Amino acid sequence: MRLPWRKPETVRCLACDERVLRDDAREYDKYGDRWDREGKSFEHFCKPCDRTRCRRSRDGVEARLVEAGAGEVSRAAFLARLAALQGPEDGRVTER
């Protein structure tokens, strides 16, 4: 659905890298606070990828990715660092 006040714009899906119209995408705020919009730039998911992504809490995830060297070291080094940073409760599904 095209929003009349927004100029048509395409964005890339964070998951699959497809280009989609911004109006057909879902905004993603890596800090989990999409309502505080001042000074932010959002990433986007296409609708199919948004439907399949995990909705669990992201508390501490961004800091852990930065600490592990996301985008700055080789994939193997990043995965090794990320695994070393994982705590005993990380990745565990709990009922609420």
Side-chain angles (χ1 to χ4, degrees), residues 37-93:
R37 303 179 79 76
E38 183 129 356
K40 284 190 178 177
S41 62
F42 290 90
E43 296 171 306
H44 298 83
F45 283 102
C46 66
K47 289 180 182 180
C49 289
D50 184 63
R51 279 187 218 102
T52 61
R53 75 182 174 94
C54 177
R55 299 291 199 268
R56 290 185 23 210
S57 171
R58 297 183 304 266
D59 290 344
V61 170
E62 291 297 324
R64 193 174 311 139
L65 292 173
V66 169
E67 189 176 348
E72 297 177 1
V73 298
S74 72
R75 180 179 173 86
F78 167 72
L79 292 174
R81 289 178 182 182
L82 191 60
L85 292 170
Q86 184 168 340
E89 297 299 316
D90 293 337
R92 187 173 291 171
V93 176

